[in-house]
Amino acid sequence: MLNIPSWQRLFILVFCLGGLYLAFPNLFYSTVEKHNDAVIMVERGQVAANDVSEEINSWPSWMPSNLVNLGLDLRGGAHLLAEVQLAEVYAGRIDAWWPRIRDELRKNRNIVGSIRRQQSPPDQLHVRIENADAMEQAIGMVDELASPIVNISGIGTKDIEVSGRADILIIELSEEEKSATDNRTMEQSLEIIRRRVDEVGTREPIIQRQGNNRIIIQVPGIGSATELKELIGTTAKLTFHHVIRTSPSQSGYNAGLEVSYPSIENPNLFYILDRTAVVSGDELTDAQPDFDENGRPAVSFRFNPAGARKFGDYTAENIGLPFAIVLDEEVVSAPVIRSHIPGGSGIITGRFTVQESTNLAVLLRAGALPAEMTFLEERTVGPDLGQDSIDAGKIACIIALVAVMIFMALSYGLFGIFANIALTVNLFLIFGVLSALGATLTLPGIAGIVLTIGMAVDANVLVFERIREELRSSRGPSRAIELGYEKALSAIIDANLTTLIVALILFTLGSGPVRGFSVTLGIGILTSVFTAIFVTRLMVIIWFSKYRPKELKV
């Protein structure tokens, strides 16, 4: 018997109407976009609500306002390919070792004699010792200062390698430490760039690592590549301040001696701080996610020798008092000093999750770009070119849609019209899902939609051809429809599952345009299977139950 339970009918109807509801704002893209921009500016305190009331009221508050974000090739904007000069980081890291090595060797002057730093390659530290016969002892002294590598690939190795040649002591970073430094540097650079770009409120920037030392930056809505370079070239400011008090407002402090910064976690909480920083981020050499003595997530940090002295003196004199970690004039954290912290290292504890401690460590390291970036490629995509791409994409979608609909109507008659209605519903579902996910639509993404239109009726063709075969076997109309859907189901699932697997592989291994194509293709496969198996079948069953035809013309 042809029958779909009432609850399934209700679910299909609600799901289709929900997709239409979510996709609807995209039909009024410019209006909704202006409304969203105005709401964001009011929330950030950039403008008063009355100044943009017209834009806010231009779209009903009870309607969804999520849009399918347009990528660089559709909206226009700027594209940069930057190369991070990792060798500079090696030089800075190895240079920071000199004070510790100098102090250690001076303590053993009676063994190694006088010491003097020599000219050396940027990624090495050369130290001449007076007593060349004590080279083995000197290597052992410096090697004791090394720390073990904590990542999986570096188990059993240390962060520096020490060797000797005649009377010259040679110190350099180990290969494992260089690899770990590369990853930290790239991660830090990505986070800094993302923070700089997010400040201007752009939509869906693409900031991703390419290879070992390159970063792709694509920002829709930016006027030129030069503007983007100036934006990401801004250096973040990280400082550590004495906390005077907290306040619910940003007023009521001595502007000459104090500053007031909001909490990054609670915008309604302000910290009144000493204007003069205790230590600056320039003196922070590292910050890593860690665990405290009770096994709770925390963040460990380390200063260079100058910062260590300042921080040690300050913590000795302010036990029991909070100090503020300020990034870009926002208080990231304000931990309480539990004890004197000598040696330039410490740990920040709080109610962190593992992810929050990891993010805080990245933020602490993100005070400034860790290395110079060389821009290998610069490109500006004008909004006119982006609009041309949108228009071309619309034409391609319309041609594909009309051609498929004509073919289905001529080939399968009324059943083909049912398939065409389901195809239209499928398009709304695709855009509804893209809007709900906040996905970015690019030109390859439009190609994925065009391909989906062509593939969307494939399941219906399999069902309709199967119904034809059952009718030739002298089956009754009701039984032919029932068997047509049952026997075509396995072929539909097999065909679409293999395509979905390819889409997942493209998404996992691809980047940029390839991912955009795979996202729309994958979503289109899922929605097209849903509309073919459920929506078209529901329409066929409703029609058949009402008219009860003696024969089918498929």
Side-chain angles (χ1 to χ4, degrees):
M1 290 291 293
L2 285 177
N3 184 39
I4 295 181
S6 298
W7 69 268
Q8 287 188 13
R9 298 189 182 201
L10 181 61
F11 171 78
I12 294 170
L13 179 62
V14 170
F15 191 85
C16 293
L17 291 177
L20 176 61
Y21 179 71
L22 293 173
F24 187 72
N26 293 284
L27 299 176
F28 305 90
Y29 200 95
S30 299
T31 301
V32 180
E33 186 178 48
K34 292 178 182 178
H35 165 84
N36 292 343
D37 290 342
V39 170
I40 291 173
M41 287 191 293
V42 171
E43 290 176 349
R44 291 180 175 178
Q46 297 174 345
V47 296
N50 293 334
D51 296 337
V52 289
S53 59
E54 182 178 350
E55 288 82 0
I56 292 177
N57 296 329
S58 63
W59 186 252
S61 59
W62 53 271
M63 286 291 291
S65 57
N66 291 339
L67 295 171
V68 176
N69 297 297
L70 300 180
L72 181 70
D73 49 2
L74 299 180
R75 186 180 181 86
H79 165 97
L80 292 176
L81 176 62
E83 184 177 69
V84 181
Q85 305 301 315
L86 296 175
E88 294 182 0
V89 183
Y90 303 155
R93 288 290 308 281
I94 202 67
D95 190 62
W97 275 92
W98 166 237
R100 297 175 62 189
I101 293 173
R102 178 193 60 202
D103 294 344
E104 181 65 23
L105 293 178
R106 281 179 177 175
K107 288 191 302 183
N108 297 278
R109 191 189 298 268
N110 59 324
I111 299 176
V112 300
S114 61
I115 61 172
R116 183 181 297 274
R117 183 173 181 176
Q118 304 294 306
Q119 291 288 338
S120 62
D123 59 344
Q124 292 183 352
L125 173 64
H126 289 188
V127 180
R128 182 185 297 276
I129 61 174
E130 182 180 8
N131 186 2
D133 295 334
M135 179 59 69
E136 290 298 325
Q137 294 95 315
I139 291 175
M141 296 172 194
V142 176
D143 191 59
E144 289 182 359
L145 299 176
S147 301
I149 302 292
V150 295
N151 58 25
I152 295 177
S153 63
I155 291 178
T157 60
K158 296 185 177 181
D159 53 356
I160 59 172
E161 294 178 350
V162 188
S163 60
R165 184 176 63 242
D167 59 348
I168 301 296
L169 192 64
I170 302 172
I171 303 96
E172 59 185 330
L173 299 178
S174 65
E175 290 301 320
E176 291 77 9
E177 178 63 15
K178 286 182 179 180
S179 177
T181 299
D182 290 349
N183 289 329
R184 288 197 297 267
T185 301
M186 295 301 294
E187 179 183 295
Q188 185 177 352
S189 299
L190 287 168
E191 180 63 26
I192 294 170
I193 294 171
R194 187 171 288 111
R195 286 176 60 83
R196 299 277 71 74
V197 171
D198 285 347
E199 283 184 356
V200 300
T202 55
R203 288 182 186 80
E204 295 299 319
I206 297 174
I207 304 169
Q208 59 189 20
R209 182 173 177 176
Q210 185 183 69
N212 294 327
N213 63 340
R214 293 183 178 182
I215 298 175
I216 290 178
I217 310 149
Q218 294 182 343
V219 184
I222 291 288
S224 66
T226 301
E227 182 181 346
L228 179 58
K229 286 168 61 177
E230 293 175 352
L231 178 66
I232 64 175
T234 305
T235 302
K237 186 178 182 182
L238 177 70
T239 50
F240 295 75
H241 293 257
H242 173 68
V243 178
I244 299 174
R245 63 184 183 277
T246 59
S247 172
S249 66
Q250 201 170 10
S251 58
Y253 66 96
N254 186 343
L257 300 175
E258 301 169 350
V259 291
S260 177
Y261 295 140
S263 168
I264 199 170
E265 297 180 347
N266 183 4
N268 297 320
L269 176 64
F270 293 85
Y271 288 85
I272 310 302
L273 313 173
D274 273 345
R275 178 173 292 275
T276 303
V278 176
V279 193
S280 70
D282 295 335
E283 297 166 306
L284 186 74
T285 60
D286 196 18
Q288 295 292 332
D290 205 341
F291 293 90
D292 62 15
E293 64 273 13
N294 297 317
R296 294 173 300 188
V299 177
S300 61
F301 59 91
R302 185 171 72 245
F303 290 109
N304 64 19
R309 284 193 295 271
K310 297 178 187 177
F311 191 68
D313 294 341
Y314 175 78
T315 55
E317 298 169 1
N318 293 275
I319 295 174
L321 299 177
F323 76 102
I325 303 169
V326 179
L327 181 64
D328 281 347
E329 299 185 350
E330 289 183 307
V331 177
V332 175
S333 177
V336 174
I337 301 171
R338 301 298 182 188
S339 61
H340 174 219
I341 307 177
S345 63
I347 189 168
I348 302 172
T349 60
R351 296 180 179 178
F352 302 130
T353 64
V354 173
Q355 184 61 44
E356 287 172 343
S357 67
T358 301
N359 292 341
L360 179 56
V362 173
L363 287 174
L364 291 178
R365 297 197 303 270
L369 288 170
E372 181 184 354
M373 290 195 301
T374 303
F375 295 101
L376 306 178
E377 182 182 345
E378 303 177 19
R379 187 168 71 247
T380 300
V381 179
D384 293 338
L385 183 58
Q387 187 60 47
D388 289 343
S389 299
I390 294 175
D391 294 340
K394 286 180 179 178
I395 293 172
C397 289
I398 291 172
I399 293 175
L401 186 62
V402 171
V404 169
M405 284 184 169
I406 292 175
F407 170 81
M408 292 300 292
L410 293 177
S411 299
Y412 301 104
L414 181 61
F415 279 51
I417 294 175
F418 290 153
N420 290 338
I421 296 173
L423 179 58
T424 305
V425 173
N426 181 40
L427 284 178
F428 279 109
L429 290 178
I430 291 173
F431 279 93
V433 174
L434 290 174
S435 298
L437 296 177
T440 299
L441 182 64
T442 60
L443 200 56
I446 292 179
I449 293 176
V450 174
L451 178 59
T452 299
I453 293 173
M455 296 174 59
V457 294
D458 181 57
N460 287 308
V461 170
L462 290 173
V463 172
F464 297 161
E465 289 297 330
R466 192 70 198 187
I467 292 175
R468 280 178 172 176
E469 290 183 11
E470 296 302 327
L471 289 173
R472 294 190 193 104
S473 302
S474 299
R475 303 283 188 182
S478 175
R479 186 60 177 163
I481 293 174
E482 187 176 1
L483 290 175
Y485 276 97
E486 285 183 5
K487 294 184 177 181
L489 183 60
S490 60
I492 293 171
I493 293 176
D494 288 344
N496 287 278
L497 183 60
T498 52
T499 309
L500 182 61
I501 291 173
V502 172
L504 291 174
I505 293 173
L506 289 175
F507 180 82
T508 303
L509 301 180
S511 61
V514 176
R515 276 197 167 191
F517 174 80
S518 65
V519 167
T520 53
L521 179 61
I523 293 173
I525 290 169
L526 296 175
T527 56
S528 63
V529 169
F530 171 80
T531 53
I533 294 178
F534 295 103
V535 178
T536 308
R537 183 166 177 257
L538 178 60
M539 287 188 289
V540 169
I541 290 175
I542 292 175
W543 167 79
F544 186 85
S545 299
K546 182 176 181 180
Y547 293 101
R548 292 290 177 177
K550 299 299 182 182
E551 62 179 28
L552 295 180
K553 294 182 179 180
V554 183

